[in-house]
Amino acid sequence: MDVFAPQNKGMQRFHNASLAFALTLVGWGVSAFFAMSYTVYIIIKLSLSFFTANGLVNHPEVAEAFYFQVFAVEGIFFFMLVLGFLGVGTMAFIFSNSQFNYFKRLGDALSEYAETHTMPNLKNLGPFGRHAAIFIEVVTLRMDRKGDEAIQSKLTEAAKFWPTRPHISWTDQAQFAAVATLIAGFFSMLSLIFFWKITDRMVDLSGQLIRYKAVTGPLFFNAQTDIITFVMWTIFAIMNLAFAVTGFRFGRRISQASYAVLRDLRRFMQGNLDHRVVLRGDDPAQVILPQVNEALDRLAAQIKS
């Protein structure tokens, strides 16, 4: 069982990183929801204060009835909000898992090549596909003793696109931003439907109380509507920005791990056969290290033999 302990620990890191990303986005959604709830509560308190000052609410029962009417929302809306939170978490977890799976597939591909000496299927390696292909070609040339000229030609070709520093391509940035925006938009629409339902009730009840009994009613009504609209859109803008920043930071973490893996594979490919892939201790991509380094051990032994 001890043999599998490092891999199991790596897999746990792998899933924890995906879960952390999902919970971060859910956390931003929950924060936005409570911020909007508190805004609605404050607006209701202001409304009741206005009604009391104008002699429109003279009994505690009226204020209680006002709260009841405002928050008397159909159960389907709460069900939709729960689905919204679950959707945010699920979509974020699946997306982050799909990114980390590229590392696992790279380990599988190198392991398969070390065992069979045939080109594995690289179509599902995502950003690693092109690098894995030329890495295998160079290693094959070394094992077949094709000479320095052929090897150098391939190394020169690889140098044209091999990363020299952590970098997120514009395509990847657009992908992370699009997914984060989609998730944020999904939750935003569900929340807006819920809060529009509540605020519509509040504004309607306010209008019924002040329309004919207070001269300042229309001014208060307009100010109330403007405040609600401004605060809600501000909260949603901040939430969407937070989602985008979280997605970007996740993309940055992926790019740093990708760079570290490709950097070490390049050193091996260039002839440093004793070099192995090394990642930071807290990097979730460590799940691939036992498999990749075992494949490099076998390839190095075959090249030296």
Side-chain angles (χ1 to χ4, degrees), residues 22 25-27 29 83-93 183-184 186-187 243:
L25 293 188
V26 171
L83 287 183
F85 285 119
L86 291 177
V88 168
T90 301
M91 291 170 66
F93 185 81
I183 295 174
F186 171 71
F187 176 77
F243 271 52

Side-chain angles (χ1 to χ4, degrees), residues 28-269:
W28 284 119
V30 171
S31 299
F33 180 82
F34 278 106
M36 289 183 292
S37 298
Y38 186 71
T39 300
V40 171
Y41 172 75
I42 293 298
I43 295 297
I44 291 177
K45 293 286 288 184
L46 290 175
S47 298
L48 290 174
S49 297
F50 175 83
F51 300 151
T52 302
N54 285 273
L56 303 175
V57 177
N58 299 316
H59 302 284
E61 291 80 5
V62 176
E64 182 179 344
F66 189 82
Y67 278 110
F68 177 79
Q69 288 295 325
V70 168
F71 289 103
V73 181
E74 293 84 350
I76 186 63
F77 287 100
F78 293 100
F79 179 70
M80 289 172 61
L81 279 175
V82 172
L83 287 183
F85 285 119
L86 291 177
V88 168
T90 301
M91 291 170 66
F93 185 81
I94 291 174
F95 173 69
S96 57
N97 254 323
S98 71
Q99 299 303 307
F100 285 123
N101 277 338
Y102 290 133
F103 292 92
K104 186 66 173 66
R105 291 168 188 165
L106 174 64
D108 293 339
L110 294 180
S111 182
E112 179 183 344
Y113 171 69
E115 182 178 352
T116 65
H117 295 173
T118 58
M119 182 69 75
N121 182 9
L122 305 178
K123 293 182 179 180
N124 62 351
L125 292 188
F128 292 123
R130 190 179 182 187
H131 303 90
I134 202 163
F135 173 85
I136 291 173
E137 290 175 6
V138 172
V139 171
T140 301
L141 290 175
R142 291 192 182 279
M143 287 193 294
D144 294 343
R145 307 289 194 274
K146 292 299 183 180
D148 292 340
E149 185 176 348
I151 293 173
Q152 189 58 45
S153 175
K154 282 294 179 181
L155 291 176
T156 302
E157 179 183 344
K160 296 178 181 178
F161 62 85
W162 213 275
T164 57
R165 59 184 176 84
H167 174 69
I168 307 178
S169 68
W170 284 108
T171 301
D172 290 337
Q173 287 186 20
Q175 181 185 26
F176 289 125
V179 171
T181 302
L182 176 65
I183 295 174
F186 171 71
F187 176 77
S188 296
M189 290 308 301
L190 289 178
S191 298
L192 279 174
I193 291 173
F194 178 77
F195 281 99
W196 275 335
K197 185 76 173 178
I198 291 177
T199 53
D200 282 349
R201 286 177 179 271
M202 181 177 64
V203 171
D204 183 60
L205 289 171
S206 299
Q208 292 179 25
L209 285 171
I210 65 179
R211 187 169 297 142
Y212 303 111
K213 298 181 180 181
V215 177
T216 55
L219 294 177
F220 177 79
F221 175 83
N222 292 334
Q224 186 184 56
T225 303
D226 292 342
I227 290 172
I228 293 174
T229 302
F230 174 77
V231 171
M232 283 198 172
W233 282 114
T234 299
I235 291 173
F236 277 118
I238 293 173
M239 185 187 73
N240 279 268
L241 179 61
F243 271 52
V245 170
T246 302
F248 177 80
R249 293 182 63 184
F250 174 77
R252 187 68 182 175
R253 188 175 190 183
I254 291 291
S255 71
Q256 289 172 343
S258 300
Y259 166 72
V261 171
L262 294 177
R263 174 201 62 203
D264 292 337
L265 289 180
R266 185 181 188 184
R267 290 175 182 173
F268 182 93
M269 182 175 64

